[in-house]
Amino acid sequence: MPTETAPSSDPDRERQAIVAARAAHWARARRLIALLLALWLATSFCTVFFARDLAHLSVFGWPLSFYLAAQGASLTYLTIIGAYAWRMRILDRDFQRTLEGRS
């Protein structure tokens, strides 16, 4: 009586590899998001918290605290957005290569 080998082990391994790759990708993305959110929080908090201490310094005739709130924080936010888009593109490409390598 011939016995057939169940080919189900191969798709199961492939499915587990995909799940592991997705988990690793999401872990990297969460680390990036947490880092950038911490930078955003520090920028928002420090600008307001140290405003009085920075008021005696001036940049182009304006108090440094005003300059940081009006320009510096906005530029930092744009930098955060750019860094997120750049790094996520790299992470997504690596994840796509991982999936293509498994197929």
Side-chain angles (χ1 to χ4, degrees), residues 81-97:
I81 292 168
Y84 175 77
W86 172 73
R87 185 64 182 150
M88 280 306 295
R89 183 179 301 149
I90 292 171
L91 290 176
D92 288 342
R93 284 181 186 164
D94 290 345
F95 177 64
Q96 189 64 32
R97 285 187 199 127

Side-chain angles (χ1 to χ4, degrees), residues 35-95:
L35 175 70
L36 294 176
L37 280 175
L39 182 61
W40 169 78
L41 179 64
T43 300
S44 299
F45 177 75
C46 291
T47 301
V48 175
F49 188 75
F50 294 111
R52 290 184 186 156
D53 297 334
L54 299 173
H56 70 281
L57 300 173
S58 66
V59 175
F60 302 118
W62 294 93
L64 182 60
S65 58
F66 174 78
Y67 178 75
L68 287 176
Q71 302 296 325
S74 298
L75 293 175
T76 303
Y77 300 149
L78 287 174
T79 304
I80 289 171
I81 292 168
Y84 175 77
W86 172 73
R87 185 64 182 150
M88 280 306 295
R89 183 179 301 149
I90 292 171
L91 290 176
D92 288 342
R93 284 181 186 164
D94 290 345
F95 177 64

Side-chain angles (χ1 to χ4, degrees), residues 14-33:
E14 186 174 330
R15 187 177 304 130
Q16 289 174 352
I18 290 171
V19 168
R22 283 182 182 163
H25 175 69
W26 182 236
R28 288 185 200 106
R30 279 185 297 180
R31 262 196 316 270
L32 175 65
I33 292 167

